[in-house]
Amino acid sequence: MDRNALLAGGAIGIVAIALVTALVVPGVLADPTDDGPVRPGRISVSEVTIAAGAATGETATLDIETRIEHGGNPTDNVSVLVRAIDEESGLRMATEQVSVGNLTRDGEVTAGTNLTVPREGGYDIDVILYRNAERVDTAQQRIRGVEAIKPPYLRTNTEFTESEALPPVSFSIAEAGDNRSTLDVGATLTNTGDTPTDDLSVRFVLRQAESNIVASQSTVDVGEVGPGRTATVETPVTVPNDYNYYIDAVLVRDGVVIDTARGAANLNPTRTISVNETTEEVELEVSDFEDSDTTSGDDDYRTEESGATQTGTPGFGPVVALVALCASVLALRRWRQ
């Protein structure tokens, strides 16, 4: 057989076998345009915003919105973990993780998370971005004064004024007596909202400054306060003279304390107090704060009984003392004899 023909037949056979193998076994021939596995696109936390959500007397819910920026190739299995750390103790108070899924388009996507924390103090909010359980980026926000997030029953647009010209609590002397005086105590409130309020009342409590004894208290309805309007409520109270008092005004709605304010009434001309002043020890006559109709029959009986005991002579009577003296003289004479 011709040698050239034999070589040609062998080459043809090898080419045929290669073609059959490529058809039967996919992937044997590499694609010259293939660059290997596709790298995921870039992702990062672009912004974190926090808003106040629902609240109860003990807890507050924080609505946290995380904006994620994506670009390049598709990115699979993206998630966001959010946690609240107490600013004072450093303890983790709440944690939530939300799945974002697969990102294919360039731009920003939003992931919303809700965290419920105790309604007090402040928190550091940590946001951690994951891709396939691998941490990619982090961000942090700080919030303070969570107690300002009030539940519905504490929300009102009417509160005590904060002005030197219109102090929240004031008083005037309506009637001055020898032992007691009647004061007209008042409170000034302002409605800062857009709707009127008409379901509020103010409770006035007068406490003797040094002892904290409640000398008098009274409650008065506020009535309707229009939007943007200021109203003053007054009520008379009677207290003993020559003492100084703190006037506590408590704004109440349906048994719930909404706001408080304090003033001072100085009825002792030799000593004055203010709402920010430290108290000192003074002489106090508790009977001045008793009700005027209190009976004292038992006290009179005790006084008379006590007086009789004090005027009586303690020990032996005078006759017994004289007999004892004579016996001592006789015993002394006999001893000398």
Side-chain angles (χ1 to χ4, degrees):
M1 186 178 221
D2 186 9
R3 182 177 180 183
N4 293 331
L6 182 60
L7 293 174
I12 294 173
I14 293 173
V15 172
I17 295 173
L19 292 175
V20 172
T21 303
L23 294 175
V24 175
V25 184
V28 173
L29 298 179
D31 185 358
T33 63
D34 188 4
D35 295 331
V38 177
R39 298 183 59 183
R42 64 183 184 277
I43 56 173
S44 62
V45 178
S46 61
E47 185 181 15
V48 176
T49 57
I50 303 174
T56 67
E58 297 181 351
T59 63
T61 298
L62 307 177
D63 296 336
I64 303 171
E65 183 181 271
T66 304
R67 300 188 69 84
I68 304 169
E69 184 178 358
H70 171 259
N73 297 326
T75 304
D76 299 336
N77 195 20
V78 178
S79 62
V80 175
L81 184 143
V82 182
R83 60 191 181 191
I85 308 297
D86 185 89
E87 66 169 340
E88 294 185 358
S89 65
L91 297 175
R92 183 178 61 187
M93 306 305 295
T95 302
E96 289 290 340
Q97 187 165 5
V98 58
S99 176
V100 182
N102 302 329
L103 304 181
T104 58
R105 299 175 57 184
D106 292 349
E108 286 188 345
V109 295
T110 302
T113 314
N114 295 328
L115 288 184
T116 300
V117 296
R119 197 173 65 87
E120 59 183 5
Y123 299 91
D124 294 329
I125 306 300
D126 294 334
V127 178
I128 305 173
L129 181 63
Y130 288 93
R131 178 183 59 209
N132 289 324
E134 178 184 358
R135 181 179 297 194
V136 178
D137 195 11
T138 61
Q140 188 180 75
Q141 287 275 22
R142 289 189 173 184
I143 59 173
R144 299 294 180 265
V146 177
E147 61 273 7
I149 306 175
K150 297 181 179 180
Y153 60 83
L154 289 179
R155 296 174 188 169
T156 180
N157 294 320
T158 300
E159 57 188 11
F160 291 111
T161 58
E162 296 181 2
S163 170
E164 294 183 358
L166 286 175
V169 179
S170 60
F171 80 98
S172 62
I173 298 178
E175 182 179 352
D178 294 335
N179 299 320
R180 291 174 174 266
S181 295
T182 299
L183 310 179
D184 283 337
V185 294
T188 306
L189 305 112
T190 299
N191 184 352
T192 60
D194 298 327
T195 58
T197 58
D198 58 358
D199 55 352
L200 301 174
S201 62
V202 175
R203 184 174 184 83
F204 294 96
V205 181
L206 276 75
R207 303 177 187 273
Q208 201 273 331
E210 290 77 19
S211 67
N212 207 35
I213 294 177
V214 176
S216 183
Q217 52 186 324
S218 179
T219 302
V220 57
D221 292 334
V222 176
E224 182 175 302
V225 182
R229 299 294 190 268
T230 297
T232 300
V233 293
E234 294 183 346
T235 184
V237 294
T238 301
V239 294
N241 294 336
D242 299 327
Y243 293 100
N244 296 328
Y245 301 93
Y246 289 120
I247 307 174
D248 291 323
V250 184
L251 185 62
V252 181
R253 181 177 65 188
D254 193 24
V256 178
V257 176
I258 304 298
D259 195 12
T260 60
R262 168 171 282 192
N266 294 300
L267 302 186
N268 185 345
T270 63
R271 180 179 289 104
T272 61
I273 62 170
S274 66
V275 294
N276 297 320
E277 188 176 66
T278 304
T279 58
E280 58 180 315
E281 294 184 0
V282 297
E283 295 182 0
L284 176 69
E285 186 63 41
V286 178
S287 61
D288 290 344
F289 298 93
E290 294 178 349
D291 294 337
S292 58
D293 57 350
T294 302
T295 58
S296 58
D298 292 342
D299 293 338
D300 294 341
Y301 175 78
R302 293 191 187 97
T303 302
E304 294 173 1
E305 186 178 22
S306 175
T309 302
Q310 292 176 358
T311 56
T313 303
F316 300 104
V319 177
V320 177
L322 181 61
V323 172
L325 179 61
C326 293
S328 299
V329 172
L330 292 176
L332 181 61
R333 292 182 60 184
R334 181 176 297 179
W335 179 77
R336 290 178 176 178
Q337 294 177 355

